[in-house]
Amino acid sequence: MLPGWQTILPSWVIGRLGTTVPQENIPPAKADEVTKRLLAAFAESAGLDSNALPTPTYTRVQLWGAAVPLNVLDGADCVLQASHNVGICGDWLVSPCIEGAAVSGLALAESIQRHVRGERRDVGLSCTFKPVQGPAIGSFPTNSRLVFKPGGKTA
């Protein structure tokens, strides 16, 4: 993790925790569990000891089921405010599906890399939102050749 960077990490991990709590009122113990598991997963994926991560100054847990993006960002796949070292990514910026989350996350990683190398510029701050175009929320993959068909046939 880069010193001085604030990161917002939405993740599909939350959806895999077997949470059966109300979306509007997540019990503090469940929020703590989700936060700890997300940080541990981040440390593992970054090749870091989870004890070496700085303590977050603020966290908020929102259940996946409450995410129903009807608009996406028009003109960028992520948002980065260079002057404050803050970046955000997520399916809600690109396309409401796992593919959109991956595209947005990679775009933010590339923007941070350029920023660290000296190209300090904002990304996505002047963009506006547009209505989601395409199939239903959660559709994946968008490439019809990758859609599983029983019997081994692809679309």
Side-chain angles (χ1 to χ4, degrees), residues 43-125:
E44 181 181 341
S45 67
L48 301 170
D49 178 356
S50 60
N51 295 322
L53 294 177
T55 302
T57 55
Y58 175 79
T59 63
R60 181 174 187 279
V61 173
Q62 178 67 48
L63 293 180
W64 185 269
V68 184
L70 300 176
N71 299 294
V72 293
L73 200 59
D74 188 13
D77 293 336
C78 67
V79 177
L80 175 78
Q81 187 171 24
S83 61
H84 289 91
N85 293 342
V86 173
I88 59 172
C89 61
D91 64 337
W92 58 279
L93 293 172
V94 178
S95 175
C97 63
I98 192 75
E99 182 180 25
V103 166
S104 183
L106 289 170
L108 180 58
E110 291 169 353
S111 296
I112 291 171
Q113 183 181 40
R114 285 190 302 272
H115 181 81
V116 169
R117 290 185 174 167
E119 185 184 324
R120 306 206 188 294
R121 66 178 181 90
D122 293 336
V123 176
L125 291 177

